[in-house]
Structure formats: C-alpha cells, structure tokens
Amino acid sequence: MSSQCHPEQGKRSQDDYQWRTDQGFGSRLLRPCRGMYHDVKRRMPYYWGDLREGFTYRVLSGTIRIYFINLLPAMAFQLDMSYNTGGFFGINEALLSSALAAIVFSLLSCQPLTVVGVTGLISLFNYTIYDIIKIYDVGLYPQFMVWVGIWAAIFHWMIAIFNLCDYMRTVTDFSSQTFGFYVGTVYVIKGCEELSIGFHDGQISNGFASALVAILYFLTVYLLEQMGQTTYTRTWLRTFLSDYAYVIATVWWTGFTHFPGNLAYAHFEYLPTTRPFYPTVDRPWVMKFWSLPVKWIFIAIPFGFLMTVLFYYDHNVSSLTAQARNFPLRKPAGFHWDFFLLGCTCLVGGVLNIPLPNGLVPQAPVHTDSVTYYKVESVVIETKNPDEPSIIRKTTTAESVAEQRISHLVMGLALVGTMTGPLLTVISLIPRAIISGVFFTVGMGSILTNPILTDKIAFLLRDPKFRQPSDPLNTVPRRQIWHYLFWQFLGFATSIAISQTVAAIGFPILITGLIPLRWKLLPRLFTRRELEVLDSLTATSEVVLVSLGGKPEMPEARRDLQMKQNRQSLEDGSGDVLEGTLKNDQGDLRQRK
Amino acid sequence: MSSQCHPEQGKRSQDDYQWRTDQGFGSRLLRPCRGMYHDVKRRMPYYWGDLREGFTYRVLSGTIRIYFINLLPAMAFQLDMSYNTGGFFGINEALLSSALAAIVFSLLSCQPLTVVGVTGLISLFNYTIYDIIKIYDVGLYPQFMVWVGIWAAIFHWMIAIFNLCDYMRTVTDFSSQTFGFYVGTVYVIKGCEELSIGFHDGQISNGFASALVAILYFLTVYLLEQMGQTTYTRTWLRTFLSDYAYVIATVWWTGFTHFPGNLAYAHFEYLPTTRPFYPTVDRPWVMKFWSLPVKWIFIAIPFGFLMTVLFYYDHNVSSLTAQARNFPLRKPAGFHWDFFLLGCTCLVGGVLNIPLPNGLVPQAPVHTDSVTYYKVESVVIETKNPDEPSIIRKTTTAESVAEQRISHLVMGLALVGTMTGPLLTVISLIPRAIISGVFFTVGMGSILTNPILTDKIAFLLRDPKFRQPSDPLNTVPRRQIWHYLFWQFLGFATSIAISQTVAAIGFPILITGLIPLRWKLLPRLFTRRELEVLDSLTATSEVVLVSLGGKPEMPEARRDLQMKQNRQSLEDGSGDVLEGTLKNDQGDLRQRK
C-alpha cells in the first residue's frame, strides 16, 4: 500500500530534522530540545493564517459538532469518575479541564486539529488509583493525585526534550486501529453501564425509559449522519442534516423527556450540577499537596510514569489519526512541542485536582473530518457492454482541510460559557439517557467505520462470488488475514480484560506494546508483500512525518534489502545465509502457491 | 412499462374465457357461473401436483415464516377487537378463524398462494359495527354479526356467479400500492396503540420496557432480513438468517422478557388465553341468531354489503399481489371460484361468530416471495475505461415459485395445533410487546418496500446529479410525478382519516373507488406515455389474467387509438376534432419540451 524508500535516499528537504534508521535512542538523547525547536520553527509562520482562515461556514459547523461530541462524553466520564471516586470529581472539574485544555492547545499547540479533553481512559485511570489508595487511606487521594500529575508533567517534559515522540512515526494501522476499536468498545460498555445505573434503587421505569431514549437517540444521530452518505436531497441539505445530527438529536430527545403524561411518570434522571466555578466537594481549588508524606510522593512516581505512557500513546495517536493519510494536509505537525505543552497541562491539572486532559481518540479524527472540504461528484462509468446502462457513482474526495485554530478555540470558549450559571441550568435539563446515547453513537461510530471491520472482516465474510477483483486483499492468503487479525484481537481482548480489573493501571504498557510487536514480531510471520497490503503507516503525509524525523524504513523492507544483499554476496561467494533470508524465501514461496 | 394491445388482437389462447372491452356488465350477468366453471376446469389438472410439489425445503421455511407473520398479527388484531368490543372476540376465535380459513383455502381454492386469515381491516370493521350497535342495544351484537356474515355470504356468491371479479383485471399499481401503503400504516399505528395500552393503569415500567422490546424486536427482524440482501457470508447462511428472522427474534425477545432481575420488575404483560376450544365469553359456538328481530336482520343487509365490498377489494388484491408480475408463475389463477369459497367461509364464520377471514394484504406477497426460488448471481460489469476496475454486482432473479398447497395447509394445521392446551401455554409466554414489534416489522416492511417510496419518492428526492440516466421516470416531467403521487396520497390520507372515525365502515367504498378514478380520471390528466411509465397492471402474467377474461385494454391506449382514427378521418376530410385528441396533443407537446 505504501511504497517504501530509505529516508536518506529520498530528496532531502530543506528541513534538517531528519533521522536515519541507524540513529537510535542514544543519538536522540544527545540532542535535547531539537524536536521542539524545529516544531515551533516550522509551524510559527502559519500562526496568523491559522487564526484568519478560521472564519468560514465549515469551521462553524465543525465547531458545533465537536462541542457536542466533546462535552457530552466528558460529562459522562465525569459521572463515571464521580460514581467510582466517592463523588470527588464533579461536572465543574470536567468542564474546567476540558476548557483549559482546549484553550491552551488551540492557541499554543503546533497541531490545533488534535482536540484535547477528558477521556474515558483518564477516568479509568483515576478511579483505579482511587481503588488502590482506598486500601491504605482514602484521605490521601486528592494530594496523591496532585503528585501523580506533577511527576507525569516531569516525565512529559523529558520525553519532549529528548525527542522521544519520534518513535510515533512507527505507528501503523496495526496498533492505531486496534486502539480505535478498543476505545470504541469502551464507549459502548460505558453506555451500557450508564444505563444500568438508571435501574438502581428500584427506579425501574427510569431505567427502561432511559434505555429507550438512549437507543432512539443513537438511531437518530446514526440515520441523520448516514443521510450525508446517500444521494438524496441536495448537497446542502444532506450536509446540514449530517453536520447538525448531534444538535438535532440532543434538542429533540431532551425535549421528549420533558413531555407531560406518561413520560413525566418515568422520572428521568438528569445531569447533576453544583454552583458554578467551585469545586464539587467542599475544598479549595489548590489543595495542600505539599503536606503529603514523602513516602507517598515517591509512590506517586510509577503512577506518574504510567500516566505518561498512557498519554504518550493516547495523545500522539490522537494527533496521528487527526492528521492521518486520508486528510490532505498542508501545514506541518509538531509532536514534540505538543507533548511538552501536555506536560504543562498535566502540571496545572494536577495542582488543581481536575482530571488531566489529553488528545481525544475517537473525536480527534471526527474533528478533522468535520472541517474538511469534500468535493462530491457524480462519475459516469461507461460499461463495455452496450446493453448495460452506464452507472452513476457518487465519489467524495477530500479537497482540503480548514487547518485552523478557531474551531478548537471557540469550542474551548463555549466550554467556559457552559461553566456559567445559566448554561449549567441548561445542562441540568439533559437526561442522563442522552449521555448513554452519545456513548453508543461515538463508540459505534468508531467501531463501524474501523477498517478492521469495514475492510478486513468484511472481506473475509463476503461471499467469494461477490469479491471485487480489484481488492488488493485478494493477493494475500485468507489464512494470513486471519492470522493478522488474530494479533489485533489479542491486543484488543487483553486490553478490554485488564480494564475491568485493578490492573487497569498497567494497561498503557499493553497498548503501547503493540508498536514493538508490529515492528519486531510481525515481519517474521508475514512476507513483505502481505504486510504492505495488510498494514500501512497511519500518517504518511510528509508534513506530518517531518516532525518525527522523516518516514521510517519499514522492518520488512529492511529485511528484504538485507536478503538481496545476502544473495548478492552469496553470488560473489563471500556471505553466509542468514536466518532472515530463509524466512523471507519461505514467505515468497508461500505466496507463489 | 407494459406494452398495450387489444386482447382480441393478441393470439387467441385455447382458453375460451375471454372478454372484449365492449362486453360490459350486462354480458357478464347473462352468463352466470362461467368464471367459476373455467377457474375450476383450468386449475383442476394441477391439483395433485400442488400437493406433491410441496415437500421441499423452501416450502418448509416458507411455512414457518408465514405461520409467524400470520399468527402474531392475528393475535394482535384479536387483542384490538377484544379491547374494542367489550371482550367478545378472544384468542380462540381468532385462531379458529385463521385455521378454518387456511385449511379450506389451501385444500379447495384455485389460488393456494393467497394466504387467508384475520386482518386488521376486519377488526376495524367489527368494532365499528360494535360502536354503532352499542348506541341501540349492545346485547344484539352477536346475533347481528351472524346476519352480517350471512348477507355477506350471499353477496359473495352473487359476485362469483355473475363473474364480477373480472373487474379486478383493471387493478393497477395506482390503487394496489396505495392500499399497500395504507395497510402498512395501519399496522404501524396499531403497533403504537398496542404500546400505548401498555402504559395504562399506571404500569409505566411495563410501558417503557415494552416499547424497548418492540423496537429491538423490530430492529432484530429488520437487520436479519436485510442480511439476505447483502453479499456477506455464504448464500445458505444469508438465506437461513433471513428466512428464520421472525423465529429467531421471537424466541430471543420472548426469552429476554423472562430474564430475572430488573427485567422481572418490569412486569411485562403477556398474551391472555382461556381454556382451549371454547369461545372466550360464556356462550355456545352457535348462538340463536334466528331469534334476532326481523328489523335488525334487514339492517344487517347494508353492513353485509359493505363487508362484501371490503373483501372484494381486499381479498382479490391479496390474490393479485400474491401473483404479481414479479413472480414467474406457471399455474392458472381462479378469482371467481375463490370468491365463492370466501362466501362459504363468511357463512361459517358468521354462524360461529368468529372474525371473518380473508386474504392478508401485506402477508400474501411475502408468502409467495418466501416460496420463490431465487437465483443469486454475480455479474461482472466490464467498464469502458481500462483504468476503472470492473464492477461485481449481485443480481437476484426469481427462477420459479413453489406453487403448492402444502405451506398454506401446514400453516393451517399448525394453527389448529396452537389451539390445543400445551401450545396455548406457549403463546401465553409471549409478551404483548412482541405483538407491537410484529406490527412494526410487517407494517414497515410493507411501507419501506412500497414502490411509491422506493421508486417515485426516491426518484424525486434524489439529487439530480445522481439520477441514473436509464431510469424511465426521467422521461416524465417532475410536476406530473408529483401530480400522480398527489392522487395516491389523497386516497391514502382519506382512508387513514376515515378509519379513525365511526365512518370507517364506509372505507371499502373509498378504497375500491380508486380503481374507477384511475380508469376514468387519470387518462384525462396524464398522457399515455406518462401513465405507461408511472403505472402498470398489478398482475400481467397470462396465467393470472386468464381467470379474469384476458388482459384489459388500458383507457389511455384506447384514447390514443381513437385519436389516431380521428386524425385519419380528418385527413380524409370527414371527422371532428375530439377533446381527447387535443388533450393528448398537449401532452405530447409538453413531453417534447
């Protein structure tokens, strides 16, 4: 799928942040701040343009969409955290964290398309730590969390300074799609958990009514968004319905639950809010974290480290998918600088004891998508057989992306607005059922459009008679596709399993581990040709990879090259047969069969 | 769409039951029993084959499907009637009626594919009569209904004897699709009413839980049936899931409502049953109908007449759609004989005071469809442009229909089995929510596949850029398509409106009136070409039309012919210009623009 070449063989761009494959960990440590310096230098010239270009209609509709799909899950995760941490995190904390992150990242980051906010994983992380601390002394939790944030900030800065985000260039669909699938599933599970809470305390009718509203909300958004894919009605109406699907569905179903009659007897539960701008529990915004016993400050180190691993993967993969190869981007990325900035928000968030924000996985690519200009055309495909009428096909091409800071910034300001009294009252009108609906919508949206499902599983399940002959998967043995999926599902299933236990804290190691697995193990199990069909770098655009030191050489390509060299030296009568060469020959044989 | 020719010009078949356009009402009355005689004579030779050919797998799966979509709505209509007639009609009456009709029609009718049972319209009819009788003396209701049945039987026999079913050959898509849309909508409305009953008496949690189950049931059946349309999995598995969609969904969701925990607290309502084989209210099967005051016997005449008009349309349109032009039928139809038989079941049903059975409109074509052998093929469409890969398209062709009596007969026997004690107990496990689900499924199935929606409205709503150039609707001015739909919606809307009032009793006149409207008015408003694109005879197969005296000459074709003759005589200098000629010329001009 992607053509491989040595970065040093390609045309050397004017940018001198380039690494060769043989320049590993060591050489990165030796040049501190080099990545950040180049990130800022590269992006700076675009800054005013980023602001000026944000005043278009597409950006407005994108802003509204991202506001809804950021705000509603954030409140949901807050409910989840609140439920699991004895009410410590409330709606004000979630809103403050989201707003802080959005304003800082929209104004100061190199990648303003990567929306930042409160994720499900941080919620999982926070209450798993709560479960652990509870074993000793639950009163230590708030101060302990401050220290986890401080340590995380320090680790973030170190990663940014020593250019370690570079390794993100090795992220392929293998891990990013597995992670997307995992996060989508976590959303759906959270939606169900949220619904099951509706049944507590004998509130059976609230439970059923909420389940009903959540499912209808999901169907409404889903059908409205699908509308954009059809060829019905004019383009502007299709786009309108699809752009404002969340707004329409939220207003409609919120109104529905306020109907009189039987609906009133259901006693829907609504979102709990407290007085604006104050922490939910009775505490100052900054707690006396310095009074934590020294022992606990040190215990916080591994937790801060794990949080850093989580964000290293989660935030950077958000940026990668928000800048994935299907978006025609023109402005340079900046992973190192953004990760440094994330360290700063960790510090502030930690000190204020709010959930730490980071890149939103299913939402970030949705944000880029909603500010992308698509050209919709009808293509007439003439058929060879004159009796067969020609076919009209709808093609949608991404023409350009409104790469700007305004949608992210306005979303942040809107979140600040939401923290004020009057808008908090509006929030309190939204039934909790809609939160479940949003979970289903965002989660299923991420699952149903995941290429694991739409490409590979769809290919395997399709009746062989109806396979499109042009599909490159036809050239890979079916067994190898299953084999490839097996590794993805293994990663997915272990992540899901661990998330349900107190070991959830170790989950970032597991998910990040998928990258070396792909890099070290898979080339031994698959031929180069198979991997080129099955997998590809998540972001291939030069403007994205430039921040990470250029396009990496894929291990399977390197192996292939090695093999050729060995063969050459064999012919020259001077080399040994390496194990790798044998492996590759076997692969080639298998393919020929 | 259909090529028109004078029936007398076409090749004269060996069958001598043929009518010319100039042989109207009078000549039919003069040859009593001619239609029935030919129906039986034509179909008799196939009788043993009808039984022998019924022992195939396709018939088995068709039987199971039709059993479910006949039984569940029948019980639903019974609940509806029971609720609206002070509990007079119960489940035993509905089952007896369905079983009686199915056994009689499967063994003795000429058109065994037309499944017969308890419909929503008879339920509407019965409780509207109840509402009227209630004004005078509610105690008269049972005997009065017997007499309505007796009079209806007499009218049925007269129609059969005097060959009046012949007029059914003039039924076009204009009225049959409008009727399909109407019945589908009635089903959906009934589904909603049934759900709203779930909320009565403060049973809020039953109400919401039932709504939830009904919607999920609908989605389950819908998605399983859609599975058959996809290209996923092998043909046998796709077909299996689609064939047994109702069974799978009914078993699953019935089981679901019996789960312990929160679901048990919902207190689902289940189907009420009484002891087997006895009438629901304490009465003998045959009531002393002869003791009804003579005045009331005469008052029953117009009601019997209206019931006859209803069945004339409803039953015959069921037969037409069950034998519509998309099914490749080989065995002759027999409308006259079947209508005579329907008179007999009216008599028996009337005397036993059970709801009178007749042809089931949305179910009859589903039955034919489910015993049709479809050939699924992949067609490779080569494209002219060599860069464009060739396209694989799935084509489904109806190869043949298992035209047999077994599926209908076994369904009838299964209904008798259902009347026994043990199976009545199984029935009582089914929650009423599933009945609503069946209403939604059958109703939405009828609406969503109705060509009014899938062809015409889809065409009008489609973005003009994406219209298939081969679509014949392109040749009709858009304004005329809207105009045509206007008449269909007028018929639909007035039928829906009248069904909600006590005037519902007159509804058959309204729906039957669509046939002369199409025949007399539409040719004045549309050109021949337009009508040929917009409308067509519902059944065009020769084996079907043979029972109705051959293919009719369409009025627009006759008008066209007249015009040509006039033009001819004008050229000969001897004729007048008729108004119709002018109209047609205008139409031609408009088309040329």
Side-chain angles (χ1 to χ4, degrees):
Chain A
M1 271 181 187
S2 62
S3 64
Q4 311 298 329
C5 68
H6 277 259
E8 59 266 45
Q9 278 171 352
K11 70 169 187 358
R12 160 106 34 201
S13 74
Q14 69 278 35
D15 198 287
D16 59 355
Y17 188 76
Q18 289 279 351
W19 300 95
R20 290 195 313 279
T21 305
D22 57 343
Q23 292 176 295
F25 193 66
S27 49
R28 279 178 175 79
L29 298 187
L30 290 176
R31 309 196 189 184
C33 298
R34 200 174 156 218
M36 285 197 280
Y37 167 73
H38 283 282
D39 279 354
V40 174
K41 185 177 153 202
R42 238 182 263 115
R43 185 76 190 199
M44 193 72 98
Y46 295 91
Y47 195 83
W48 296 111
D50 282 353
L51 294 175
R52 270 198 314 275
E53 287 157 28
F55 296 93
T56 65
Y57 171 72
R58 181 102 315 270
V59 171
L60 173 71
S61 65
T63 306
I64 293 174
R65 188 162 179 198
I66 198 66
Y67 171 75
F68 272 81
I69 65 171
N70 181 1
L71 175 71
L72 298 174
M75 294 201 294
F77 290 129
Q78 167 269 311
L79 285 176
D80 196 34
M81 264 188 287
S82 171
Y83 185 77
N84 286 298
T85 59
F88 185 71
F89 294 102
I91 205 153
N92 291 355
E93 281 81 1
L95 283 173
L96 178 60
S97 166
S98 300
L100 167 80
I103 292 171
V104 167
F105 273 80
S106 63
L107 289 177
L108 301 179
S109 79
C110 284
Q111 302 169 134
L113 289 177
T114 308
V115 282
V116 177
V118 176
T119 67
L121 299 180
I122 193 69
S123 141
L124 175 68
F125 218 84
N126 283 356
Y127 69 69
T128 309
I129 296 181
Y130 182 82
D131 288 342
I132 294 170
I133 295 296
K134 209 167 54 176
I135 304 171
Y136 304 95
D137 176 5
V138 79
L140 297 174
Y141 182 67
Q143 290 133 293
F144 186 75
M145 286 307 291
V146 174
W147 282 101
V148 170
I150 292 171
W151 287 116
I154 293 167
F155 286 121
H156 274 73
W157 294 330
M158 281 164 64
I159 285 176
I161 289 168
F162 294 114
N163 313 308
L164 296 182
C165 288
D166 274 355
Y167 290 101
M168 274 291 140
R169 66 179 178 171
T170 62
V171 168
T172 62
D173 291 349
F174 177 75
S175 64
S176 63
Q177 290 174 1
T178 307
F179 187 58
F181 214 89
Y182 164 75
V183 174
T185 309
V186 167
Y187 270 58
V188 174
I189 293 176
K190 287 288 161 208
C192 295
E193 281 180 5
E194 176 64 24
L195 282 184
S196 76
I197 292 172
F199 285 98
H200 282 191
D201 312 323
Q203 296 206 34
I204 305 304
S205 61
N206 166 57
F208 283 111
S210 298
L212 189 65
V213 167
I215 287 168
L216 293 174
Y217 180 90
F218 164 66
L219 290 176
T220 310
V221 177
Y222 185 77
L223 293 177
L224 284 174
E225 290 202 330
Q226 287 298 306
M227 187 69 200
Q229 311 294 316
T230 67
T231 56
Y232 294 112
T233 78
R234 304 303 162 116
T235 310
W236 70 265
L237 182 56
R238 276 203 303 274
T239 316
F240 179 86
L241 291 174
S242 159
D243 279 346
Y244 299 108
Y246 280 93
V247 187
I248 298 169
T250 306
V251 171
W252 171 267
W253 290 110
T254 298
F256 181 84
T257 61
H258 289 276
F259 272 14
N262 286 322
L263 286 162
Y265 299 132
H267 300 295
F268 281 96
E269 267 188 51
Y270 293 93
L271 289 177
T273 53
T274 47
R275 62 186 175 149
F277 300 114
Y278 279 86
T280 304
V281 296
D282 189 20
R283 64 163 177 106
W285 274 115
V286 178
M287 294 185 75
K288 293 192 188 140
F289 62 88
W290 49 87
S291 65
L292 189 71
V294 180
K295 182 181 90 174
W296 285 100
I297 296 177
F298 281 97
I299 293 173
I301 296 180
F303 290 93
F305 178 74
L306 286 172
M307 177 98 65
T308 308
V309 177
L310 171 65
F311 282 8
Y312 181 72
Y313 192 84
D314 196 10
H315 183 80
N316 285 320
V317 165
S318 299
S319 297
L320 280 175
T321 52
Q323 303 174 109
R325 54 182 190 276
N326 46 322
F327 300 117
L329 298 172
R330 293 169 302 105
K331 296 186 179 174
F335 288 83
H336 306 283
W337 172 255
D338 280 16
F339 207 66
F340 180 79
L341 213 55
L342 194 64
C344 303
T345 55
C346 281
L347 182 70
V348 176
V351 169
L352 294 178
N353 257 148
I354 57 181
L356 302 190
N358 79 319
L360 297 167
V361 155
Q363 292 98 327
V366 172
H367 176 233
T368 311
D369 179 67
S370 63
V371 295
T372 298
Y373 293 92
Y374 287 103
K375 192 173 171 189
V376 175
E377 280 177 307
S378 60
V379 178
V380 181
I381 302 173
E382 302 274 354
T383 53
K384 234 179 200 165
N385 183 347
D387 297 341
E388 197 78 56
S390 49
I391 296 161
I392 302 274
R393 189 184 272 168
K394 182 182 173 188
T395 60
T396 307
T397 352
E399 276 201 313
S400 65
V401 179
E403 297 177 66
Q404 38 68 48
R405 295 170 187 276
I406 298 298
S407 54
H408 200 171
L409 177 63
V410 174
M411 182 198 78
L413 296 175
L415 289 171
V416 174
T418 313
M419 291 171 71
T420 59
L423 275 166
L424 271 186
T425 313
V426 172
I427 295 274
S428 73
L429 294 176
I430 298 179
R432 291 180 64 151
I434 282 189
I435 300 293
S436 307
V438 173
F439 272 134
F440 292 147
T441 316
V442 177
M444 290 305 288
S446 169
I447 291 170
L448 292 176
T449 59
N450 194 306
I452 295 179
L453 202 69
T454 57
D455 284 0
K456 302 209 174 63
I457 295 182
F459 176 84
L460 290 170
L461 283 184
R462 180 163 287 128
D463 196 334
K465 305 203 258 276
F466 298 113
R467 257 177 221 156
Q468 296 299 336
S470 56
D471 191 332
L473 285 173
N474 283 312
T475 64
V476 178
R478 285 172 70 84
R479 202 169 41 75
Q480 286 295 82
I481 307 177
W482 282 118
H483 185 185
Y484 180 84
L485 287 177
F486 163 78
W487 289 103
Q488 289 195 306
F489 272 97
L490 189 71
F492 165 76
T494 44
S495 305
I496 288 285
I498 208 173
S499 309
Q500 310 295 324
T501 67
V502 80
I505 201 88
F507 134 87
I509 306 277
L510 201 68
I511 201 86
T512 315
L514 285 177
I515 309 175
L517 181 80
R518 159 68 180 90
W519 218 248
K520 296 293 174 196
L521 183 65
L522 291 201
R524 296 177 176 272
L525 304 174
F526 296 86
T527 67
R528 176 181 177 178
R529 171 87 194 111
E530 284 165 2
L531 283 178
E532 280 171 11
V533 171
L534 293 169
D535 195 18
S536 265
L537 290 176
T538 296
T540 55
S541 159
E542 200 170 321
V543 293
V544 176
L545 289 173
V546 77
S547 157
L548 303 173
K551 199 170 202 170
E553 189 188 25
M554 300 301 287
E556 56 271 18
R558 200 185 312 156
R559 186 177 279 273
D560 229 37
L561 196 77
Q562 247 172 17
M563 185 187 79
K564 269 184 203 135
Q565 283 168 346
N566 290 335
R567 208 172 266 162
Q568 196 72 35
S569 48
L570 256 181
E571 276 165 19
D572 299 351
S574 64
D576 307 8
V577 183
L578 288 181
E579 189 267 337
T581 318
L582 266 173
K583 173 70 204 164
N584 251 301
D585 276 341
Q586 282 167 357
D588 281 353
L589 265 173
R590 185 169 50 207
Q591 211 171 318
R592 252 173 255 133
K593 262 187 267 175
Chain B
M1 269 178 188
S2 60
S3 64
Q4 311 298 329
C5 66
H6 278 259
E8 59 266 45
Q9 280 172 348
K11 72 168 189 351
R12 161 109 30 208
S13 75
Q14 69 277 37
D15 198 287
D16 58 356
Y17 187 76
Q18 287 280 349
W19 301 94
R20 289 195 313 280
T21 304
D22 57 343
Q23 291 176 296
F25 192 65
S27 51
R28 280 177 173 81
L29 298 186
L30 290 176
R31 310 193 187 186
C33 298
R34 198 172 157 221
M36 284 197 280
Y37 167 75
H38 283 282
D39 279 354
V40 174
K41 186 177 153 202
R42 237 182 263 114
R43 186 74 189 203
M44 193 72 97
Y46 295 92
Y47 194 84
W48 294 112
D50 282 352
L51 295 176
R52 269 199 315 274
E53 288 158 25
F55 295 94
T56 64
Y57 171 72
R58 181 104 311 273
V59 172
L60 172 70
S61 64
T63 306
I64 293 174
R65 189 163 179 198
I66 199 66
Y67 170 76
F68 271 82
I69 66 170
N70 180 1
L71 174 71
L72 298 174
M75 294 200 296
F77 291 129
Q78 167 269 312
L79 286 176
D80 197 31
M81 265 188 284
S82 171
Y83 185 76
N84 286 299
T85 59
F88 186 72
F89 294 103
I91 206 152
N92 291 354
E93 281 81 3
L95 284 174
L96 179 60
S97 166
S98 300
L100 167 80
I103 291 170
V104 167
F105 273 79
S106 63
L107 289 177
L108 301 179
S109 79
C110 284
Q111 303 169 134
L113 289 179
T114 309
V115 281
V116 178
V118 176
T119 68
L121 300 180
I122 193 70
S123 142
L124 176 67
F125 218 83
N126 282 357
Y127 70 68
T128 310
I129 297 180
Y130 182 82
D131 288 341
I132 293 169
I133 295 294
K134 209 170 52 176
I135 303 171
Y136 304 96
D137 177 4
V138 80
L140 297 174
Y141 182 66
Q143 289 132 295
F144 185 76
M145 286 308 289
V146 175
W147 283 101
V148 171
I150 293 172
W151 287 116
I154 294 169
F155 286 122
H156 273 74
W157 293 331
M158 278 163 64
I159 285 175
I161 289 169
F162 294 113
N163 313 309
L164 295 182
C165 287
D166 274 356
Y167 290 101
M168 275 291 140
R169 67 179 176 171
T170 63
V171 169
T172 62
D173 290 348
F174 177 75
S175 63
S176 63
Q177 289 174 1
T178 307
F179 186 59
F181 215 89
Y182 164 74
V183 175
T185 309
V186 167
Y187 269 60
V188 174
I189 293 176
K190 287 285 159 213
C192 294
E193 282 180 5
E194 176 63 26
L195 281 185
S196 76
I197 292 173
F199 284 99
H200 282 192
D201 312 322
Q203 294 206 35
I204 305 302
S205 60
N206 167 55
F208 283 111
S210 297
L212 188 66
V213 167
I215 287 168
L216 293 173
Y217 180 90
F218 164 66
L219 289 175
T220 309
V221 177
Y222 184 78
L223 293 178
L224 285 174
E225 289 201 330
Q226 286 299 307
M227 186 68 200
Q229 311 294 317
T230 67
T231 55
Y232 294 113
T233 78
R234 303 305 162 113
T235 310
W236 70 266
L237 182 56
R238 274 203 303 275
T239 318
F240 178 86
L241 291 174
S242 158
D243 280 346
Y244 298 108
Y246 279 94
V247 187
I248 298 170
T250 306
V251 171
W252 171 266
W253 291 110
T254 298
F256 181 83
T257 62
H258 289 276
F259 273 14
N262 286 322
L263 286 161
Y265 299 131
H267 300 297
F268 281 96
E269 267 187 53
Y270 294 93
L271 289 177
T273 54
T274 46
R275 61 185 176 151
F277 299 115
Y278 280 86
T280 303
V281 296
D282 190 19
R283 66 163 176 105
W285 275 114
V286 179
M287 294 186 75
K288 291 193 188 139
F289 61 88
W290 47 86
S291 66
L292 188 71
V294 179
K295 182 181 91 173
W296 285 101
I297 295 179
F298 282 97
I299 293 174
I301 295 180
F303 290 92
F305 178 75
L306 285 173
M307 176 99 61
T308 308
V309 177
L310 171 65
F311 282 10
Y312 180 72
Y313 191 85
D314 196 12
H315 184 79
N316 285 320
V317 166
S318 300
S319 296
L320 280 175
T321 50
Q323 302 174 113
R325 54 181 190 275
N326 46 321
F327 300 117
L329 299 171
R330 293 169 302 103
K331 296 184 180 176
F335 289 83
H336 307 284
W337 172 255
D338 279 15
F339 207 66
F340 178 81
L341 212 55
L342 193 64
C344 302
T345 55
C346 280
L347 182 73
V348 176
V351 169
L352 294 178
N353 257 148
I354 58 181
L356 303 190
N358 80 320
L360 297 168
V361 154
Q363 291 98 329
V366 172
H367 176 232
T368 312
D369 178 68
S370 63
V371 294
T372 298
Y373 292 93
Y374 286 103
K375 193 174 169 189
V376 176
E377 279 177 309
S378 60
V379 179
V380 181
I381 302 174
E382 302 274 355
T383 53
K384 232 177 198 167
N385 183 347
D387 297 340
E388 197 78 56
S390 50
I391 296 161
I392 303 274
R393 189 184 272 169
K394 182 182 174 188
T395 61
T396 308
T397 349
E399 278 200 313
S400 65
V401 179
E403 296 177 66
Q404 38 69 45
R405 295 170 186 277
I406 298 299
S407 55
H408 200 171
L409 176 64
V410 173
M411 181 199 76
L413 296 175
L415 290 171
V416 174
T418 314
M419 293 170 69
T420 59
L423 274 167
L424 271 186
T425 312
V426 173
I427 294 275
S428 73
L429 294 177
I430 298 178
R432 291 181 64 151
I434 282 189
I435 300 292
S436 306
V438 172
F439 272 134
F440 292 147
T441 315
V442 176
M444 290 306 288
S446 171
I447 290 170
L448 292 176
T449 59
N450 194 306
I452 295 179
L453 202 70
T454 57
D455 283 1
K456 302 209 175 63
I457 296 183
F459 176 83
L460 289 170
L461 283 184
R462 181 163 286 129
D463 195 334
K465 326 198 242 275
F466 298 113
R467 257 176 220 157
Q468 296 299 334
S470 56
D471 192 330
L473 285 173
N474 283 312
T475 66
V476 178
R478 285 172 70 85
R479 202 169 42 77
Q480 286 295 80
I481 306 177
W482 282 117
H483 184 184
Y484 180 84
L485 287 177
F486 163 77
W487 289 104
Q488 290 196 306
F489 271 98
L490 189 71
F492 165 76
T494 44
S495 305
I496 288 285
I498 207 173
S499 309
Q500 311 294 322
T501 68
V502 81
I505 200 90
F507 136 86
I509 305 276
L510 201 69
I511 200 86
T512 316
L514 286 177
I515 308 175
L517 181 80
R518 160 67 180 91
W519 219 247
K520 297 294 174 195
L521 183 65
L522 292 201
R524 296 179 175 271
L525 303 174
F526 297 87
T527 66
R528 175 180 176 179
R529 172 85 192 109
E530 285 165 4
L531 283 177
E532 281 172 9
V533 171
L534 293 169
D535 196 19
S536 283
L537 290 175
T538 297
T540 54
S541 158
E542 201 169 322
V543 293
V544 176
L545 289 172
V546 76
S547 158
L548 303 173
K551 200 172 200 166
E553 190 189 23
M554 300 302 286
E556 56 271 18
R558 203 185 308 155
R559 184 178 280 272
D560 229 37
L561 197 75
Q562 248 174 14
M563 187 189 77
K564 270 185 201 135
Q565 282 168 347
N566 289 335
R567 205 172 268 165
Q568 195 75 36
S569 47
L570 256 180
E571 276 165 18
D572 300 350
S574 64
D576 306 7
V577 183
L578 289 181
E579 189 268 335
T581 319
L582 268 172
K583 174 70 203 162
N584 250 300
D585 278 349
Q586 281 168 354
D588 281 352
L589 267 174
R590 186 170 47 208
Q591 210 170 317
R592 252 174 253 132
K593 264 187 265 177

